[in-house]
Structure formats: structure tokens, C-alpha cells
Amino acid sequence: MNRLRRLGIALLALALGACAHLSPQQRMQAGEYAERAQATEIECPENACVLASPLHDLGAQAVAASTEAEPRHAVVLLDRGQDALLARVHLIRSARRSIDLQTFHFDRDDSGTLVLDELMAAARRGVRVRLLLDQLGGLTDPKLQAELAGFHRNFELRVYNPVFEQAKIAPLELVAGVVLRFRDLNQRMHNKLMVVDGQLALIGGRNIQDDYYDWNASYNYKDRELLIAGPVAAAMVGNFEAFWTDPRALPAAHLADVAEVLLANQGPPGRPRLERSERVLAMEAAAGDSAAVFERLSPLLLQVGRVDFYGDLPIKHDEAGKSRDDASRALLELLEGTQEELLLQTPYLVMSRPARQMFRRMYGRADPPNVLVSTNSLAATDAFPVYAMSHKYKRMYLRELGFEIHEFKPFPLTAPIDLEATGAELPDTEAVPVRMGYRGSNGPVPLKRAGVRIGLHAKSMVIDERIGVVGSHNFDPRSADYNTESMVVVHDVAFASALASSIRNDMAPENAWTVAPREKLPVLAQLNYNLGKLSEKLPIFDVWPLPYATSFELKPGCEPLPPGHPKFYECYEAVGDFPEVNMSLKSVYTRILTAFGAGLIPIL
């Protein structure tokens, strides 16, 4: 262990050699350069050119109609990536006083460039903009951060938990971080939140990245977030403020590599304006048409009453902080109140110990509720190590926790994706796009023909068709122990029904495989089960070749049936443990991690 630590110290010294020479005076000088460069002019004083917006007006209307005893909220369920991007850009343009944006990933692709430019334009017209990014995936270019640090007095950028106090981690620094500061490196701000004027918010699972808005030609996420207008936004602002003022959130100019850029240029280096793609120009134009935006989103609008916000605080990352804080604890308590049916959607089906214990209690009731789980298949996921651990414990999920599991297909037939927006080649010349998937002249055309793969990234739950939950919490050990998370709980039957319909669509046979026990082997069924269970319990060498469960496809002409139905095996065909995954490195790695990777569960 001492030898390993000495190696880590050597790597750390080598990795940080370039920035270790910066003195406190130099860092202070870098901050002064940035501050002196900041513009102070307001292009639009007193909101003279603010975009009038019926969508923005929902915030003031909901707050005015609310009382402490009877809060009122307007909510819009944003399942489609293009709707979510349109709503985000439009709300930024309609902001009058403030925008607080907190996110895990923020890329410099089309969607990231569009959102960043809109935030900067809002600052120039007089809106106070605060952008809080997690270090690992948030605009990690030191030159860009230096430019933003000196952009405008109304624009502030801070970076949460920057390991080694830098914007960007080099490969050697990452190795040193794993060896010396493993827990710090893994303590990430996973929250995704944008609050406008303290009255409207976007919250859910989407980052600022093309993959979340149907703008990737090969792989996109099927995600979900809510636009919420009303008094609950004040609690979100309070949670954001806790992160913004936490010592871990450093102004960009205080980061060593950003400070070096500012010192070298005696101010910001300047950022050349990137050429706009046609789709960015089209989105800019669409976001400026308030009537059209409201017409497009108003069919998704619901008026509801009580909405609760739960968010972890940065103290979760303190040495003496509780491992599981507000969001995780509230989620477990809420789910344990399920009486009849729980719909649970998570991209990564790896349960924390408290979650497993809670589900065992539920399944042990005299009349346990049905628990239906929507998650990724290996073919759909972007995180095969996590799937390996999900695969390892399928027997436990089915037999001991009572789950009914549906794994999302990589080319679902009715996923709510805008195929034209991806830029992929269309399936055929006669195909006509529809809101749900893509349909040709002879019927449905699979996304596979266009080469666009889809993976689940939504984190949502519906309790007894009366309470809906949407947020950033993956319901896994990482969300419980390492990341900070946030979510909203909507107490409304109509909303819960709409959310349930969305999740059920993702579990439909055309969009997902059903995971169920294999057909029993003659004579050897019990022996196979016992050996598989024993193999599962082993932390290593889980190599039993016939695991308890596998994936099933609904046969043509049959109606969907739950596993356990007497006619299930008549109507479903086994399609293997990893359908639509060839014997490639991905499947081999998954088998290896299933056998040897149980120790990774706490950080997955």
C-alpha cells in the first residue's frame, strides 16, 4: 500500500508540475484581469426588448394563484428532445431578471453552443446569469472558461469540486486522482436544473449535449424532464444557492489552468464565434416565435396542485456528511408507500443495499404491489460495466424482489425521437415522419434502417397512478453515496397517468424485451437454479453458463402477458441473454465483469 501511495505521489507531482508554480498573487492577478475585462453595458435596459412569452407568464400566474395551503403549479412533461431544447432556449430568451443553470455535462457541440450563446445574450440584455458546472464534464476547455470569466458582469461561471483545482484533468492527473483522492474524484454534482426568474424551472435527466436532443446521427438518449411553473421554484433556487456558495464551487478564474490563460493573455483570450449549422439557425428562429412555442407545448400542459422538490446539499460530500442525504432518503420513503403498483424507470438497474432492503419488505407483504421496471438492455446501454452488475443479479430482482423487468431495445419502434433532427439518412424515400417513431408507406420502419441507436437515460417513477417522480437520481449506489441528486414529486392523478403512459410505452413489446425465468430444464431445473444462485453469491467467479433469467420477444399474433402467466412461454420466444449484441468485445467484457466485478457496485 505504501508503494502504491508513493507511486501516486510521484504521478501527482509530475501531473501538477505545470501549475504548481502559481502563487496566490498570480491567481489574484488573473482574477483582476478577468474582472477588468468584463463588460458592463446593458443592451436592453428595463427589459425593453425582452421576449413576451405565454409560457413564461405561467410562472407568475401560478405563484399568484397559490396559497400556502393550496399551491398551484403548471407542469409540462417533456419527453421529446427537440421539445426540451426548444423550451430551454425559449425560456432563456424570455428571462427578465435571473437564470440559474446547474448541470453535470455541458458540451461544445451544436446544442451546447446554442445554449451558451443564449445565456451570454441574456447577460448582455441585463439578466443575471449564474452557470454552475461539474468539473468532469462541464466545458472543460481552460481557454473557453477564461473567456467566460471575463465576459460580462452579469455572467458568472463556477465549477464544482474541481480536482486539483483545474478546469481540465489530464490523463496523468486522473490516474493520480484515482490513487490518492478516489472519493473526491467520484463525488460529483449530478443535478440538472435551470430556474428562470425564480418562478419557472426545467428539471430532470438531460444534460446540455446533442445526444439528449435528438441531434446525434448515431446514438441518442430517450430522456425526460419537466417544465414547472409555480412556487416550488423558490425551493430550487435555495438548493442552487447552497451549491453556488459552497467552498467546493470555485469561480473559473480561480482554477490554475484558467488563471494561466488569463495571465498569458493579460485577460481573456477571446472566443471566435462558431459558424451556425442549419439546425441551430432553425432552432433559434423557432424559439423566438412565442405563439408557436406555446401552441406546440400547450397540449402537454397540466395544471396541478402540490409539487415537492428534494435535492441533496453539498454537505453530502463532507467528511462527516451522511452517506445518503435528502434526495435518496426521500425517494426510498416515498416508494415504500406504494400500495398497488410502482413503475420504475432507470437506465442502470443496480440497487443500493437500502433499496434492496426496502423492496424485500414490500415483496414480503401479504399483498405486495406490482413493481414494473423499465431499464436498458446491453444493446441499448452506453454503460456496459453497470449492465454487467444488473445482469448478475437478475435472479434476485425477479425472485426475491418481485420485479417485472423490461429492457429497452436499441432500435425501438415507437420511441419519441425526431429522426429527421438526428441528421441520419432516412429509411426510405417514401417514409413520412410522425411524432412517435417513423412510419413508411408499408407500415412502421425500424430506426435500425437509419442506423440511429437509442438508449434510456430517463429517471422516473409512478406510484399507484397518483404520484409522479422525475429527476436526476438513477436509484443506484452512485446516486445514493457519491453524487448529489435532485428530483420533483408531483401529487396529481392526471400527471401520474401521463407519466405512466410514457413509461409503459417504453416497456411495450415493440420497444423492449421482457426478462423472465428460462423455461425449466427437465429433471435438472432445481439443480441449475441452485448452482446459479450459488454462483451469483460469489464476489468473483460468477461464471455459471445458464443464469436464471433471459430475454424474451413477444411472438406475432400474441397479446402481451406478464411472466408467470400460464401461457407466457407459448406467446414469448427466448432471444438470448444479450439480444442484438454479437459476440463482440462488449458482450465478452460484460461476461467478465459479471464474473469478477462485484466489488465495483458501490461506484457504478
Side-chain angles (χ1 to χ4, degrees):
M1 186 64 183
N2 289 336
R3 184 177 299 174
L4 185 63
R5 187 170 183 84
R6 286 197 296 271
L7 173 61
I9 293 172
L11 288 171
L12 178 61
L14 178 63
L16 299 184
C19 63
H21 65 277
L22 286 181
S23 66
Q25 291 77 17
Q26 287 175 308
R27 292 175 187 254
M28 184 178 299
Q29 179 66 64
E32 291 176 358
Y33 280 142
E35 188 173 350
R36 284 206 300 264
Q38 291 171 354
T40 59
E41 297 81 9
I42 302 300
E43 296 178 356
C44 183
E46 299 181 0
N47 291 320
C49 59
V50 71
L51 179 67
S53 166
L55 197 65
H56 182 280
D57 293 343
L58 292 173
Q61 293 166 5
V63 171
S66 295
T67 64
E68 187 172 347
E70 294 187 15
R72 302 302 305 168
H73 294 87
V75 298
V76 179
L77 182 62
L78 296 170
D79 262 345
R80 296 172 173 79
Q82 286 288 281
D83 287 350
L85 185 57
L86 177 68
R88 187 177 299 277
V89 175
H90 178 76
L91 288 180
I92 292 173
R93 287 194 178 183
S94 67
R96 290 152 170 77
R97 302 183 306 278
S98 64
I99 300 171
D100 293 331
L101 197 159
Q102 176 184 23
T103 191
F104 182 57
H105 281 302
F106 198 130
D107 277 5
R108 291 192 71 185
D109 50 17
D110 273 357
S111 61
T113 298
L114 171 60
V115 171
L116 183 58
D117 284 347
E118 293 291 342
L119 291 171
M120 296 171 75
R124 284 194 297 266
R125 70 170 186 268
V127 177
R128 183 194 183 196
V129 176
R130 298 191 294 180
L131 178 58
L132 180 60
L133 306 175
D134 186 85
Q135 180 205 29
L136 288 190
L139 296 174
T140 56
D141 181 358
K143 291 183 179 179
L144 175 58
Q145 290 201 19
E147 194 266 338
L148 294 174
F151 165 60
H152 199 285
R153 293 287 173 86
N154 286 335
F155 189 101
E156 296 180 79
L157 169 64
R158 294 188 182 181
V159 178
Y160 185 79
N161 191 20
V163 181
F164 307 134
E165 296 189 1
Q166 296 194 100
K168 186 174 184 178
I169 302 180
L172 279 177
E173 293 169 342
L174 184 61
V175 173
V178 170
V179 174
L180 292 178
R181 298 178 59 180
F182 180 82
R183 185 166 181 82
D184 284 348
L185 185 68
N186 280 280
Q187 290 177 325
R188 308 319 318 171
M189 182 190 74
H190 194 243
N191 315 47
K192 291 97 172 176
L193 176 69
M194 186 177 84
V195 185
V196 174
D197 292 337
Q199 295 181 334
L200 302 103
L202 283 173
I203 184 171
R206 286 190 179 96
N207 291 290
I208 312 298
Q209 191 176 28
D210 283 353
D211 311 33
Y212 296 89
Y213 303 107
D214 303 346
W215 271 5
N216 189 305
S218 58
Y219 184 78
N220 290 276
Y221 294 113
K222 197 283 181 184
D223 213 327
R224 181 179 297 112
E225 60 191 324
L226 293 185
L227 190 163
I228 301 179
V232 74
M236 299 178 190
V237 173
N239 187 263
F240 179 92
E241 195 72 35
F243 280 90
W244 186 257
T245 57
D246 189 84
R248 298 174 188 84
L250 296 185
H254 291 187
L255 303 179
D257 47 356
V258 178
E260 286 182 332
V261 174
L262 291 166
L263 291 170
N265 293 274
Q266 295 188 7
R271 179 175 69 114
R273 185 173 175 85
L274 301 179
E275 184 177 349
R276 297 291 190 275
S277 65
E278 289 187 7
R279 63 187 183 186
V280 168
L281 293 173
M283 184 61 72
E284 286 179 338
D289 189 339
S290 296
V293 170
F294 193 74
E295 181 180 2
R296 177 169 172 172
L297 299 181
S298 58
L300 309 173
L301 175 65
L302 289 171
Q303 300 292 337
V304 305
R306 177 184 168 191
V307 177
D308 297 326
F309 169 79
Y310 295 97
D312 290 328
L313 294 170
I315 58 172
K316 183 176 182 178
H317 291 156
D318 289 348
E319 285 286 337
K322 292 182 179 178
S323 178
R324 295 170 179 85
D325 216 288
D326 294 348
S328 298
R329 187 169 60 250
L331 190 57
L332 288 175
E333 292 173 356
L334 187 68
L335 298 188
E336 193 160 11
T338 304
Q339 298 300 314
E340 297 179 0
E341 181 186 75
L342 170 65
L343 296 179
L344 171 63
Q345 186 165 57
T346 175
Y348 316 119
L349 184 56
V350 180
M351 293 282 160
S352 65
R353 184 184 298 274
R356 295 196 303 269
Q357 292 171 344
M358 183 270 293
F359 278 116
R360 280 195 175 92
R361 290 194 298 270
M362 288 175 59
Y363 194 49
R365 296 176 190 170
D367 187 15
N370 295 323
V371 179
L372 283 70
V373 179
S374 169
T375 189
N376 274 314
S377 64
L378 179 60
T381 189
D382 64 334
F384 76 87
V386 184
Y387 182 86
M389 293 300 98
S390 174
H391 180 71
K392 177 180 176 67
Y393 295 110
K394 281 180 179 175
R395 184 209 62 83
M396 176 186 69
Y397 295 146
L398 297 176
R399 282 288 294 264
E400 298 180 16
L401 306 187
F403 290 177
E404 179 181 319
I405 303 173
H406 300 269
E407 293 190 342
F408 201 60
K409 296 178 179 179
F411 303 105
L413 191 58
T414 60
I417 180 173
D418 187 336
L419 186 55
E420 284 187 319
T422 66
E425 185 177 349
L426 300 184
D428 60 60
T429 56
E430 297 180 349
V432 179
V434 295
R435 291 304 293 266
M436 296 291 286
Y438 219 81
R439 186 172 296 276
S441 57
N442 296 319
V445 178
L447 291 169
K448 191 172 185 178
R449 298 252 320 258
V452 181
R453 194 163 64 96
I454 311 297
L456 273 181
H457 196 260
K459 310 97 165 44
S460 306
M461 299 123 206
V462 179
I463 300 168
D464 294 333
E465 290 275 350
R466 59 184 177 84
I467 298 174
V469 183
V470 175
S472 66
H473 201 297
N474 284 312
F475 210 67
D476 60 357
R478 171 168 284 279
S479 293
D481 293 333
Y482 284 93
N483 294 341
T484 60
E485 309 286 358
S486 60
M487 63 183 179
V488 287
V489 181
V490 182
H491 300 259
D492 184 83
V493 171
F495 173 79
S497 178
L499 179 56
S501 294
S502 176
I503 297 174
R504 290 186 198 281
N505 181 72
D506 295 333
M507 296 191 298
E510 63 267 25
N511 298 326
W513 293 293
T514 298
V515 177
R518 299 173 186 272
E519 284 195 84
K520 292 183 178 180
L521 300 173
V523 182
L524 300 178
Q526 189 60 42
L527 176 63
N528 180 67
Y529 175 80
N530 290 336
L531 290 175
K533 183 177 179 180
L534 175 63
S535 184
E536 170 197 311
K537 297 294 184 183
L538 297 175
I540 58 174
F541 302 119
D542 181 5
V543 293
W544 186 245
L546 291 175
Y548 174 73
T550 192
S551 300
F552 287 85
E553 177 83 61
L554 183 66
K555 295 178 181 179
C558 282
E559 292 296 321
L561 297 171
H565 191 281
K567 294 187 177 181
F568 179 83
Y569 295 108
E570 295 178 21
C571 282
Y572 283 80
E573 177 183 6
V575 290
D577 295 347
F578 310 133
E580 294 200 25
V581 176
N582 296 325
M583 196 59 183
S584 61
L585 286 177
K586 189 175 184 180
S587 60
V588 173
Y589 289 158
T590 299
R591 289 290 192 187
I592 292 173
L593 282 167
T594 298
F596 301 103
L600 298 175
I601 286 179
I603 62 169
L604 291 176

